[in-house]
Amino acid sequence: MKSMAQVKEFNLIIAGIGGQGNLLASEIIASAAVREGHRVRVGETFGAAQRGGPVASYIRIGSEVYSPIIDPGRADLIVGLEAVETLRNAFRFLRPGGAVVMNTRPIVPVEVSMGLQKYPSPQEIIEALRRIGAEKIIHFDATSEAERLGMALVMNMIMVGAAAGSGLLPISTEAIRQVITERLAGPLLELNLKAFELGLEKSRSQ
Amino acid sequence: MSRRWVPPYALNEPGRRVLLLGNQAIARGFLEGGGQVASSYPGTPASEILETIADFAEMYGIYAEWADNERVAFEVCSGASMCGLRTMCSMKHIGVNWAMDPLMHVVLRNPPGGFILVSGDDPSQHSSANEQDNRFLARAACIPCFEPSDPAEAKEMTVKLFEVSEAYRLPVMLRVTTRLCHVRGDVVLGPINMERRKGKMAEDISWRKIPRLTGLERIPPHKPLHDKEEKLREAAENLEWNRVEATGGERLGVISSGVSYNYAKEAISRLGLEGKVALLKLGITYPLPEKLISNFLSGLDRLLVVEELEPFVELQVKAISKEANPKVEIYGKFDPSRKLIPREFELNTFIVSNALAEFAGVPKPLLPRRGAELQEIGKMITPRGLTMCAGCPHRATGYALKQALRRLKIEDYTIIGDIGCYGMLSYPPLRMIDTYLGMGSSVGVSQGCARATGSMAIGIIGDSTFLHAGIPGLISAFWNNTKIKLVICDNMATAMTGFQPHPGTGVTAMRKQGNKVKIEDIVRGIGISCLEIIDPYNVSDSIEAFMRALEFDGPAVVISRRICATEAVRLARRQGVRLEPYAVDPERCTGCRTCINTFGCPALVYDPSKNKVWIDTTLCMGCGVCSQICPFQAIGKRG
């Protein structure tokens, strides 16, 4: 764990498609960073409210951070909630030697089913991530894990857990756990905490 | 119902450091600045300002509402301000176009209550149909324009701008951009101003209280306004939000405003130019602090202006330089030979670093990846555009309309869309919209097309958009007997901007029950005799209703009513109801892909290895429309 004085610039992207819970995932990680005394800037894609379009949250933590947007080639970690969205963001933003945490489950655009576009296989995506220069790649089907917990929607919290489990975030796992406990107080808290712990374990075991 | 979690923007804990969205920070500034009335119409990127105020309004004795459109919202705030209350009207950039009419008048009325107009501009048009720089509109109205650089500064400015507005008895513009509205940053909460004034039309502006002047004796109405502008120009010199940073060797200087300041600051440090390039940050961009800028220019050989969208500051600085330092070369967006920054799309540190490197004569920053091998990877990344959600009733409406046109063999037609999710009917596979302009335009533009072509012209508009701007157009069509067909897609929400309620829902911004406006009553009240109301999830009935409307000899309206699919999923979850997804029977599926190629719900996925379609159950919400479209009855409820 890096201490707060050391962090000058840490860049994290949470990428996915609308409706996957990107915003909540980024709010939780960024709130945990503020709680630990960091300077934080988060650039969100709110875009249109409907589901299905690509979205990305840029989370920047550190004393030298001003811009809310991460520049090409400067992301330290990419957390991808969908397979091709992970690659899209890694291709443009991941720094050489950066890390990727990816949900391998694809959400296929209509144009692919119509035969107008191709969707790469998980193996092709992982291989491409390596060629881009990703040093550490943690990947699993987080949607299936969420379905096993009883709710596909908590996939985002599994991925927050997986991000924490990578050991790369400059914030403590406990701070994230506390933010989840406060922010999601209510009937779904237990399920979300379970999802977070599951992601943590999945990630640590890879 | 007791609240389990009080969001940070509503906490009464001065001194606490919290994470706030830019829009929440502006709403918090409204609370700390003693705002009492807020009105708005939803529009990205500004929607969350009013949503946030509405969320804490009852707690702190504030009134917040969604109005039917931005003009009404602005008029509501004008009334509150003239009655002495602090008020805020927030909207997206093009919303201000609607508010321009009352704005051009209220600036002449000396309203005493602090009045902040928030304009959310959208560089890169992340969720808009155009880019527009509303600083020009502030200038046209002779009101000052302030640009915060981050959420913390946005809150601080909002609090102080109530005082500025009251000192000059003039509305002020807080001009923000998407990367301020939708940026989260750490903000320190301040004390909440609990002064609650009782409103009364100010005596010194009420025509009932002051002697009416005859035409000949009238004071030129714009003279006091122009005097205010002069005073504001002087006051701008001492604003805390303008500051010279990073002074140094100074033959080179940068001026920036708003969020661009962050990019300029990072670019200077990234290129190691500290001490070599002076930086002037502006918090006010109209009127400009001329002396401050003249002093900044006086020692410079070259200046780079960094700002979002149009060269607004750049052109003013050019004028100032004529006297201050005619020799200074000004780089930015305007002069073709000195254009280092694109005028289109939003900026970032990378763009500004490249411009600054060229400007300062140092090596440009490079992208880490190059080469042919990596281009291959770029090619394998599947493009993904915006799409209507699985189960979206608009898709079903579009499908039924298209089938009706086909059955009636109408091939010569024009379809004009409008501002809302149904605008995406222009994407594959339906691809059925010719074009659209701004809010409500489907109704008027389709009439022009009908007159010009003499053939079928159809407008497609949403419920909220119809109530915002569509009604006068429909009156005009009925009056002139222009035989357009208007499809009103009523999904019972302002869905695209985040499910805000509207007059058709009867619920108010503060979650109270208001009165419900019935769209069919308006349509009938105008006099339209051919009105069909359909449920788009019932495919065959919808097609037949569309056929009747298309065949009717006169203007006709079809209201296609079905709750937004995303909202339906949310409601079901809240009520603990399980929406049963559909499934494809692989025995019956022939792989013909009629469901995908004519309808194209994203939950329908084709598996080429098996030549079968399957349904992604994480997306399917059980609308059942595809089961009515499949020619082989291969789709049904699971189990």
Side-chain angles (χ1 to χ4, degrees):
Chain A
M1 199 75 52
K2 296 167 194 165
S3 83
M4 70 178 258
Q6 284 173 316
V7 184
K8 286 183 176 172
E9 180 184 344
F10 178 83
N11 295 321
L12 160 68
I13 296 180
I14 302 182
I17 69 168
Q20 288 191 308
N22 230 67
L23 289 173
L24 183 61
S26 90
E27 187 190 328
I28 281 168
I29 292 177
S31 298
V34 169
R35 180 179 289 248
E36 299 216 316
H38 294 297
R39 181 182 166 89
V40 177
R41 288 289 174 275
V42 185
E44 302 281 19
T45 324
F46 274 47
Q50 74 277 1
R51 283 35 183 150
V55 292
S57 298
Y58 306 114
I59 303 171
R60 308 193 65 209
I61 300 169
S63 57
E64 293 183 0
V65 159
Y66 285 86
S67 160
I69 307 175
I70 295 172
D71 281 341
R74 286 184 83 93
D76 299 288
L77 172 63
I78 291 182
V79 176
L81 309 186
E82 198 273 349
V84 148
E85 294 314 313
T86 312
L87 181 58
R88 189 190 317 284
N89 281 276
F91 182 66
R92 185 161 162 74
F93 293 105
L94 192 67
R95 71 169 165 81
V100 172
V101 179
M102 173 169 69
N103 175 13
T104 51
R105 173 73 77 91
I107 293 181
V108 178
V110 175
E111 287 82 355
V112 174
S113 287
M114 289 175 76
L116 304 172
Q117 299 285 350
K118 283 208 175 82
Y119 194 101
S121 70
Q123 293 73 23
E124 285 175 304
I125 290 174
I126 290 161
E127 178 54 27
L129 289 170
R130 288 220 176 83
R131 279 161 68 195
I132 285 168
E135 212 152 79
K136 183 172 187 177
I137 304 171
I138 296 167
H139 59 91
F140 59 97
D141 184 341
T143 306
S144 293
E145 297 292 340
E147 282 170 329
R148 267 197 283 281
L149 287 178
M151 200 184 214
L153 272 179
V154 296
M155 179 274 286
N156 63 342
M157 228 35 67
I158 294 180
M159 294 304 288
V160 170
S166 74
L168 297 168
L169 296 182
I171 38 179
S172 71
T173 303
E174 193 42 42
I176 301 175
R177 207 176 271 128
Q178 278 174 18
V179 171
I180 294 174
T181 306
E182 280 174 27
R183 180 69 178 80
L184 299 175
L188 290 176
L189 174 63
E190 206 182 316
L191 183 60
N192 275 291
L193 278 176
K194 220 190 242 179
F196 175 75
E197 302 299 336
L198 189 148
L200 204 61
E201 273 315 301
K202 272 273 171 195
S203 181
R204 281 177 180 161
S205 64
Q206 277 198 17
Chain B
M1 199 177 82
S2 70
R3 294 183 82 135
R4 289 163 198 276
W5 178 70
V6 179
Y9 50 73
L11 292 171
N12 192 0
E13 293 179 34
R16 180 157 166 188
R17 207 165 132 270
V18 297
L19 183 75
L20 291 187
L21 197 64
N23 282 342
Q24 293 169 343
I26 293 169
R28 176 71 189 193
F30 177 87
L31 183 63
E32 293 179 10
Q36 279 180 261
V37 173
S39 187
S40 175
Y41 180 84
T44 319
S47 311
E48 297 81 12
I49 299 172
L50 192 279
E51 278 181 342
T52 305
I53 295 174
D55 196 37
F56 57 55
E58 198 158 18
M59 215 166 144
Y60 292 110
I62 290 164
Y63 176 72
E65 64 164 33
W66 291 120
D68 190 30
N69 66 30
E70 291 88 348
R71 178 188 168 127
V72 175
F74 191 84
E75 288 165 342
V76 168
C77 293
S78 299
S81 172
M82 289 192 285
C83 289
L85 267 53
R86 292 188 166 180
T87 184
M88 178 186 277
C89 193
S90 50
M91 55 191 69
K92 72 181 293 170
H93 58 291
I94 39 179
V96 184
N97 301 347
W98 285 84
M100 270 318 266
D101 193 358
L103 171 61
M104 295 307 278
H105 291 88
V106 77
V107 294
L108 305 174
R109 293 289 183 272
N110 287 311
F115 189 171
I116 302 173
L117 165 62
V118 185
S119 169
D121 293 7
D122 190 16
S124 285
Q125 50 188 101
H126 291 283
S127 37
S128 307
N130 73 340
E131 286 186 323
Q132 181 179 305
D133 192 331
N134 278 3
R135 296 177 297 177
F136 287 103
L137 301 188
R139 185 175 181 167
C142 280
I143 61 172
C145 179
F146 297 85
E147 294 189 60
S149 60
D150 63 15
E153 197 178 40
K155 178 179 79 82
E156 191 187 305
M157 268 191 190
T158 307
V159 176
K160 297 260 177 71
L161 286 183
F162 280 125
E163 289 164 24
V164 173
S165 171
E166 287 181 359
Y168 294 87
R169 296 188 65 163
L170 190 67
V172 301
M173 181 186 281
L174 184 69
R175 188 258 193 168
V176 289
T177 51
T178 305
R179 295 299 179 184
L180 185 291
C181 296
H182 290 165
V183 163
R184 292 181 208 275
D186 36 323
V187 174
V188 178
L189 299 181
I192 291 167
N193 179 340
M194 282 304 290
E195 183 198 347
R196 293 291 173 262
R197 301 174 186 168
K198 173 87 182 74
K200 187 173 190 296
M201 176 60 74
E203 301 220 343
D204 62 347
I205 63 172
S206 165
W207 291 341
R208 285 163 56 212
K209 305 285 166 59
I210 53 172
R212 288 300 298 267
L213 304 167
T214 63
L216 285 174
E217 297 157 327
R218 280 180 76 188
I219 304 162
H222 288 83
K223 179 71 167 67
L225 179 62
H226 296 158
D227 291 346
K228 286 178 189 178
E229 191 191 75
E230 278 317 304
K231 284 190 190 136
L232 276 159
R233 198 183 306 283
E234 280 164 36
E237 302 290 347
N238 300 311
L239 271 185
E240 61 210 273
W241 307 308
N242 302 326
R243 57 175 184 263
V244 177
E245 282 184 15
T247 51
E250 327 275 302
R251 308 312 300 172
L252 304 176
V254 172
I255 293 182
S256 71
S257 67
V259 293
S260 333
Y261 158 75
N262 301 297
Y263 310 139
K265 193 156 171 85
E266 282 192 354
I268 289 171
S269 102
R270 205 170 283 175
L271 296 173
L273 290 170
E274 291 110 330
K276 291 174 189 146
V277 177
L279 175 62
L280 170 59
K281 172 197 175 294
L282 290 177
I284 183 168
T285 50
Y286 193 78
L288 281 183
E290 289 191 359
K291 286 183 207 120
L292 178 70
I293 291 173
S294 296
N295 288 340
F296 186 74
L297 291 178
S298 62
L300 298 181
D301 293 337
R302 283 188 287 160
L303 173 77
L304 177 66
V305 184
V306 182
E307 59 191 317
E308 290 287 356
L309 294 178
E310 293 292 297
F312 179 75
V313 170
E314 187 182 340
L315 287 171
Q316 295 182 76
V317 169
K318 248 177 143 71
I320 295 170
S321 75
K322 289 280 180 221
E323 284 200 13
N325 178 2
K327 285 189 191 141
V328 67
E329 294 172 9
I330 298 178
Y331 292 77
K333 304 183 171 196
F334 182 71
D335 193 337
S337 64
R338 290 176 187 159
K339 187 171 168 168
L340 296 180
I341 297 179
R343 195 168 150 191
E344 303 78 19
F345 295 123
E346 67 179 7
L347 305 181
N348 57 39
T349 303
F350 185 70
I351 293 171
V352 176
S353 298
N354 271 287
L356 187 65
E358 195 170 332
F359 173 77
V362 299
K364 287 187 179 184
L366 294 172
L367 288 172
R369 280 183 281 279
R370 291 176 300 281
E373 189 209 29
L374 287 162
Q375 281 190 359
E376 273 172 49
I377 297 176
K379 276 185 203 146
M380 71 184 260
I381 301 172
T382 319
R384 189 194 303 269
L386 287 177
T387 173
M388 289 177 285
C389 311
C392 178
H394 299 329
R395 183 183 292 105
T397 303
Y399 175 84
L401 172 59
K402 220 171 165 179
Q403 293 300 317
L405 286 161
R406 178 177 297 172
R407 286 193 199 168
L408 291 172
K409 299 194 168 55
I410 302 172
E411 278 162 10
D412 186 13
Y413 60 84
T414 314
I415 301 184
I416 308 298
D418 219 300
I419 305 294
C421 295
Y422 41 86
M424 287 180 288
L425 290 171
S426 47
Y427 301 148
L430 285 161
R431 294 201 57 180
M432 56 191 291
I433 287 177
D434 287 283
T435 188
Y436 55 77
L437 306 180
M439 292 290 284
S441 63
S442 60
V443 196
V445 176
S446 59
Q447 291 173 62
C449 295
R451 293 292 174 192
T453 62
S455 53
M456 179 68 72
I458 300 164
I460 300 182
I461 191 169
D463 44 352
S464 189
T465 309
F466 176 72
L467 295 166
H468 175 290
I471 300 169
L474 190 59
I475 291 173
S476 200
F478 179 70
W479 176 24
N480 294 304
N481 198 28
T482 306
K483 297 170 187 177
I484 56 159
K485 312 299 165 189
L486 187 64
V487 184
I488 303 174
C489 298
D490 182 3
N491 63 356
M492 306 177 206
T494 314
M496 202 165 204
T497 51
F499 314 102
Q500 294 83 4
H502 64 66
T505 67
V507 180
T508 70
M510 288 168 70
R511 302 192 191 95
K512 303 249 190 270
Q513 195 58 47
N515 298 309
K516 199 166 169 170
V517 174
K518 280 190 171 167
I519 293 175
E520 52 268 47
D521 288 353
I522 295 173
V523 174
R524 288 196 190 104
I526 288 171
I528 301 279
S529 60
C530 180
L531 170 65
E532 298 281 349
I533 300 175
I534 60 170
D535 173 2
Y537 284 181
N538 183 331
V539 176
S540 58
D541 285 1
S542 296
I543 295 172
E544 280 167 25
F546 272 123
M547 288 168 69
R548 286 192 295 274
L550 291 170
E551 285 188 307
F552 181 75
D553 185 28
V557 172
V558 178
I559 298 174
S560 180
R561 181 167 288 148
R562 173 53 79 160
I563 189 168
C564 166
T566 299
E567 192 68 351
V569 169
R570 202 177 297 176
L571 280 177
R573 197 184 308 138
R574 216 174 291 153
Q575 294 162 355
V577 178
R578 196 177 140 71
L579 297 173
E580 205 58 50
Y582 276 63
V584 176
D585 177 353
E587 305 270 297
R588 289 191 174 184
C589 178
T590 65
C592 73
R593 285 191 270 175
T594 302
C595 55
I596 288 167
N597 293 331
T598 67
F599 183 60
C601 174
L604 297 162
V605 186
Y606 177 64
D607 180 351
S609 69
K610 296 183 184 133
N611 189 33
K612 302 279 175 202
V613 171
W614 60 279
I615 289 178
D616 185 335
T617 53
T618 65
L619 299 175
C620 177
M621 52 76 72
C623 76
V625 174
C626 59
S627 72
Q628 300 167 57
I629 289 169
C630 174
F632 300 98
Q633 289 82 46
I635 306 176
K637 288 260 184 203
R638 277 156 74 90

